[in-house]
Amino acid sequence: MTKRHVSLPPIAEEGVRAFIAEVDERLSSDEETCEVVKDVLIDLFGDREAYERWQSGESISAAERVRLQGYDPCNATLESEYYAEKDEKAFKRSKYLQWLWRQFDATPMADNVAFALRFRQMLAEHLFEDVGEDCRFFKDITFTYGHNITVGDNTVIHDDVHLDDRGKLTIGDRVSISDSAHVYSHDHDVVDQTQVENYHTIVDDDARVTYDSMVTAGARVGKNAIVGAKAIVRGDVPDHHIAVGSPAKSVKIKPGWEDVADPLDAGGENRKTERQIEYDLPDSLDVFDEFGRDRGSPSSGSD
């Protein structure tokens, strides 16, 4: 699809560049990330005056206090914070950056594409394990951690995509992940839901994961491959294949790549065990089962 070049008016462009450069510089410095995030969010939401009144000791309502405290990521928890196997040191910083990314997306500025894409690209350079150049990250993308994600050059990830990097995600160059797609890197045991296995999931160069589809943990979407809308990928999609359905099945080879592609019946092979990521939990960890279920089966003699 042909697109147009679009630019902001010069005065708006100047402001955008200055703001992104300022935040980038602060995140790159020795300043506490938590403090940077809090400060940026207070200003983005236009709450500087109320915050200063609160800090000077003036009386504020309980609702105001909760709102103002909420700009500080140290006063919030994320779902992934409760995961026992996470890298505590890496998560501490990625949590703060995730909070900034998510709260930025709740501001009106998140709909200003010329601003928001560049702001998220800058955040990704601090949050992800690695990110290439000229990526486009649209609104309301969510992550598990962020720090286990690698993204190549010139990749686009659209609205409402979930990138689960509880294990590890590698997304290549020139990849397109469409709206509402989900890419996973962890699984739960079918009997004991609290038992989690992590995997390395790959979406290779030039692949397209289209609308509302799912790539399950440990799968690989091959180079130049397409996952059709609402498909569920449970095994590998070979290079240059088009896979559709649930579970996704290779139904066609992209025209022009027939001579170099694997045959259609090669699709769907499950190689997740080769991509499993082992982890150990410390003996001192205080764990709990949030479900409190009896996991015994009738044949085990459990009541």
Side-chain angles (χ1 to χ4, degrees):
M1 177 176 63
T2 301
K3 289 192 173 181
R4 301 174 182 270
H5 288 288
V6 179
S7 59
L8 294 171
I11 192 167
E13 175 65 24
E14 181 183 353
V16 164
R17 286 180 180 271
F19 173 72
I20 294 174
E22 177 185 313
V23 178
D24 185 27
E25 182 178 359
R26 293 182 68 182
L27 290 174
S28 301
S29 72
D30 294 332
E31 190 174 357
E32 287 288 336
T33 305
C34 202
E35 289 297 313
V36 177
V37 171
K38 178 185 71 175
D39 211 33
V40 170
L41 289 178
I42 289 170
D43 287 333
L44 280 176
F45 281 93
D47 244 346
R48 177 62 62 184
E49 181 181 350
Y51 184 80
E52 297 298 341
R53 284 193 289 105
W54 176 43
Q55 292 300 293
S56 67
E58 292 188 33
S59 177
I60 60 174
S61 70
E64 284 181 302
R65 180 175 180 179
V66 169
R67 186 184 77 246
L68 295 171
Q69 286 176 326
Y71 297 133
D72 185 341
C74 292
N75 293 329
T77 65
L78 300 176
E79 180 185 356
S80 50
E81 194 157 356
Y82 299 87
Y83 296 163
E85 83 282 4
K86 72 180 184 299
D87 181 330
E88 293 287 350
K89 182 177 181 181
F91 180 77
K92 182 177 180 180
R93 177 172 167 83
S94 64
K95 171 190 171 179
Y96 303 157
L97 295 170
Q98 254 206 81
W99 191 251
L100 177 54
W101 188 309
R102 292 184 183 217
Q103 300 313 306
F104 169 76
D105 277 356
T107 70
M109 288 77 79
D111 291 313
N112 182 349
V113 173
F115 168 34
L117 293 187
R118 281 183 282 175
F119 185 71
R120 296 189 196 100
Q121 167 78 33
M122 180 273 294
L123 285 183
E125 291 168 5
H126 292 278
L127 174 59
F128 294 172
E129 181 176 353
D130 194 27
V131 64
E133 298 179 351
D134 299 321
C135 293
R136 279 92 68 208
F137 301 107
F138 283 86
K139 191 175 179 182
D140 293 327
I141 300 168
T142 55
F143 325 100
T144 308
Y145 305 131
H147 58 254
N148 291 328
I149 297 175
T150 297
V151 179
D153 296 329
N154 201 23
T155 281
V156 57
I157 300 176
H158 288 278
D159 292 352
D160 301 307
V161 168
H162 180 59
L163 301 177
D164 159 44
D165 64 315
R166 192 164 180 174
K168 178 179 175 65
L169 290 184
T170 298
I171 300 170
D173 299 332
R174 300 171 301 279
V175 168
S176 175
I177 301 180
S178 296
D179 304 64
S180 302
H182 290 69
V183 184
Y184 287 97
S185 66
H186 84 279
D187 254 341
H188 293 266
D189 183 79
V190 295
V191 176
D192 181 0
Q193 188 172 340
T194 65
Q195 183 177 325
V196 173
E197 294 178 337
N198 293 334
Y199 299 90
H200 183 192
T201 304
I202 302 162
V203 182
D204 223 322
D205 297 345
D206 299 298
R208 290 165 56 194
V209 178
T210 65
Y211 171 77
D212 202 23
S213 56
M214 180 190 301
V215 179
T216 61
R220 174 183 177 266
V221 178
K223 294 180 179 179
N224 195 37
I226 298 177
V227 176
K230 296 184 178 293
I232 299 180
V233 176
R234 297 191 178 279
D236 287 2
V237 179
D239 298 351
H240 318 301
H241 279 216
I242 300 173
V244 301
S246 176
K249 179 180 179 180
S250 294
V251 295
K252 187 176 181 179
I253 295 171
K254 291 179 78 171
W257 278 271
E258 294 88 350
D259 292 341
V260 296
D262 290 336
L264 286 180
D265 60 9
E269 184 173 354
N270 194 316
R271 297 187 176 91
K272 67 185 296 184
T273 56
E274 302 171 18
R275 302 182 184 124
Q276 186 168 358
I277 300 171
E278 301 291 345
Y279 62 86
D280 294 313
L281 299 178
D283 294 335
S284 59
L285 184 68
D286 182 18
V287 299
F288 71 97
D289 178 356
E290 62 183 311
F291 301 102
R293 295 173 180 155
D294 179 1
R295 294 189 294 271
S297 66
S299 60
S300 69
S302 175
D303 293 333

